[in-house]
Coordinates of all heavy atoms in Angstrom, one line a residue:
I161 N 115.9 97.4 95.5 CA 114.7 97.8 96.1 C 115.1 98.5 97.4 O 115.8 98.1 98.3 CB 113.8 96.6 96.4 CG1 113.3 96.1 95.2 CG2 112.5 97.1 97.3 CD1 112.5 94.7 95.4
A162 N 114.6 99.8 97.6 CA 114.7 100.7 98.7 C 113.3 100.7 99.5 O 112.4 101.1 98.9 CB 115.2 102.1 98.4
L163 N 113.4 100.2 100.7 CA 112.2 100.4 101.6 C 112.4 101.6 102.5 O 113.5 101.8 103.1 CB 112.1 99.1 102.4 CG 112.0 97.8 101.8 CD1 111.9 96.6 102.8 CD2 110.9 97.7 100.8
V164 N 111.5 102.5 102.4 CA 111.7 103.8 103.1 C 110.6 104.2 104.1 O 109.4 104.0 103.8 CB 111.6 104.9 101.9 CG1 111.8 106.4 102.5 CG2 112.6 104.6 100.9
G165 N 111.0 104.7 105.3 CA 110.0 105.2 106.1 C 110.0 104.6 107.5 O 111.0 104.4 108.2
D166 N 108.8 104.0 107.8 CA 108.6 103.5 109.2 C 108.9 101.9 109.1 O 107.9 101.2 108.8 CB 107.3 103.8 109.7 CG 107.0 103.2 111.1 OD1 107.8 102.4 111.6 OD2 106.1 103.6 111.6
L167 N 110.1 101.5 109.2 CA 110.4 100.1 109.0 C 110.2 99.3 110.3 O 110.3 98.1 110.4 CB 111.8 99.9 108.5 CG 112.1 100.8 107.2 CD1 113.5 100.4 106.7 CD2 111.1 100.5 106.2
K168 N 110.0 100.1 111.4 CA 109.8 99.4 112.8 C 108.4 99.0 112.9 O 108.2 97.8 113.3 CB 110.1 100.5 113.8 CG 110.0 99.9 115.3 CD 110.5 100.9 116.3 CE 110.3 100.2 117.6 NZ 110.6 101.2 118.7
Y169 N 107.5 99.9 112.7 CA 106.1 99.5 113.0 C 105.3 99.1 111.7 O 104.2 98.5 111.8 CB 105.3 100.6 113.6 CG 105.8 101.1 115.0 CD1 106.5 102.3 115.1 CD2 105.8 100.2 116.0 CE1 106.9 102.7 116.4 CE2 106.2 100.5 117.3 CZ 106.8 101.7 117.5 OH 107.2 102.2 118.7
G170 N 105.9 99.3 110.5 CA 105.2 99.0 109.3 C 105.2 97.4 109.0 O 106.2 97.0 108.5
R171 N 103.9 96.9 109.1 CA 103.8 95.5 108.9 C 104.0 95.1 107.5 O 104.5 94.0 107.2 CB 102.5 95.0 109.5 CG 101.3 95.6 108.7 CD 100.0 95.3 109.5 NE 98.9 96.0 109.0 CZ 97.9 96.4 109.7 NH1 97.7 96.0 110.9 NH2 96.9 97.2 109.2
T172 N 103.7 96.0 106.6 CA 103.8 95.6 105.1 C 105.2 95.4 104.7 O 105.6 94.4 104.2 CB 103.3 96.8 104.1 OG1 104.0 97.9 104.4 CG2 101.8 97.0 104.4
V173 N 106.2 96.3 105.3 CA 107.7 96.1 105.0 C 108.2 94.9 105.7 O 109.1 94.3 105.2 CB 108.4 97.4 105.2 CG1 108.3 98.4 104.1 CG2 108.1 98.0 106.6
H174 N 107.7 94.5 106.8 CA 108.2 93.4 107.6 C 108.1 92.1 106.6 O 108.9 91.3 106.5 CB 107.5 93.2 108.9 CG 107.8 94.2 109.9 ND1 107.0 94.4 111.1 CD2 108.7 95.3 109.9 CE1 107.5 95.4 111.7 NE2 108.5 96.0 111.0
T175 N 106.7 92.0 106.1 CA 106.5 90.8 105.4 C 107.1 90.9 104.0 O 107.6 89.9 103.6 CB 104.9 90.8 105.2 OG1 104.3 91.0 106.5 CG2 104.4 89.4 104.7
L176 N 107.1 92.0 103.4 CA 107.6 92.2 102.1 C 109.2 91.9 102.1 O 109.6 91.1 101.1 CB 107.4 93.6 101.5 CG 107.9 93.9 100.1 CD1 107.3 93.0 99.1 CD2 107.7 95.4 99.8
A177 N 109.8 92.4 103.0 CA 111.4 92.2 103.0 C 111.6 90.7 103.1 O 112.6 90.2 102.4 CB 112.0 93.0 104.3
Q178 N 111.0 90.0 103.9 CA 111.2 88.6 104.1 C 110.9 87.8 102.8 O 111.7 86.9 102.4 CB 110.4 88.0 105.3 CG 110.9 88.7 106.5 CD 110.5 88.0 107.7 OE1 111.0 87.0 108.0 NE2 109.6 88.6 108.6
A179 N 109.8 88.3 102.1 CA 109.4 87.6 100.8 C 110.5 87.9 99.8 O 110.9 87.0 99.0 CB 108.1 88.1 100.3
L180 N 111.1 89.1 99.8 CA 112.0 89.4 98.8 C 113.3 88.7 98.8 O 114.0 88.6 97.9 CB 112.3 91.0 98.8 CG 111.1 91.9 98.3 CD1 111.4 93.4 98.7 CD2 110.9 91.7 96.9
T181 N 113.6 88.1 100.0 CA 114.8 87.3 100.2 C 114.8 86.1 99.2 O 115.8 85.5 98.8 CB 115.0 86.8 101.5 OG1 113.9 85.9 101.9 CG2 115.2 87.9 102.6
M182 N 113.6 85.7 98.7 CA 113.4 84.4 98.0 C 113.9 84.9 96.6 O 113.8 84.0 95.6 CB 112.0 83.9 97.9 CG 111.6 83.5 99.3 SD 109.8 83.0 99.1 CE 109.3 83.2 100.9
F183 N 114.0 86.2 96.2 CA 114.3 86.5 94.8 C 115.7 87.3 94.6 O 115.8 87.9 93.6 CB 113.0 87.5 94.3 CG 111.8 86.7 94.4 CD1 110.9 86.8 95.6 CD2 111.4 86.0 93.4 CE1 109.8 86.1 95.6 CE2 110.1 85.2 93.3 CZ 109.4 85.4 94.5
G184 N 116.5 87.1 95.6 CA 117.8 87.6 95.4 C 118.0 89.0 95.1 O 118.8 89.5 94.3
V185 N 117.1 89.9 95.8 CA 117.1 91.3 95.5 C 118.3 91.9 96.3 O 118.7 91.4 97.3 CB 115.8 91.9 95.9 CG1 114.7 91.4 95.2 CG2 115.6 91.9 97.4
K186 N 118.6 93.2 95.9 CA 119.5 94.1 96.6 C 118.6 95.0 97.5 O 117.7 95.7 97.0 CB 120.4 94.9 95.8 CG 121.4 95.7 96.6 CD 122.3 96.5 95.7 CE 123.1 97.4 96.6 NZ 123.7 98.5 95.9
L187 N 118.7 94.9 98.9 CA 117.7 95.6 99.6 C 118.4 96.9 100.4 O 119.4 96.6 101.0 CB 117.2 94.6 100.6 CG 115.7 94.9 101.2 CD1 114.7 95.2 100.2 CD2 115.3 93.6 102.2
T188 N 117.8 98.0 100.3 CA 118.3 99.1 101.1 C 117.2 99.5 102.2 O 116.1 99.7 101.7 CB 118.7 100.3 100.3 OG1 119.7 99.8 99.3 CG2 119.4 101.4 101.2
L189 N 117.5 99.7 103.4 CA 116.5 100.0 104.4 C 116.7 101.5 104.8 O 117.8 101.8 105.4 CB 116.7 99.0 105.6 CG 116.6 97.6 105.3 CD1 116.9 96.7 106.5 CD2 115.3 97.1 104.7
V190 N 115.9 102.3 104.5 CA 116.1 103.8 104.7 C 115.1 104.2 105.7 O 113.9 104.3 105.6 CB 115.8 104.7 103.4 CG1 116.0 106.0 103.6 CG2 116.6 104.0 102.2

Side-chain angles (χ1 to χ4, degrees):
I161 298 172
L163 305 180
V164 180
D166 185 349
L167 308 186
K168 179 176 181 182
Y169 295 116
R171 60 190 168 206
T172 62
V173 281
H174 296 168
T175 315
L176 180 61
Q178 300 197 63
L180 287 169
T181 62
M182 298 179 203
F183 298 93
V185 302
K186 181 179 175 198
L187 208 52
T188 305
L189 306 175
V190 184

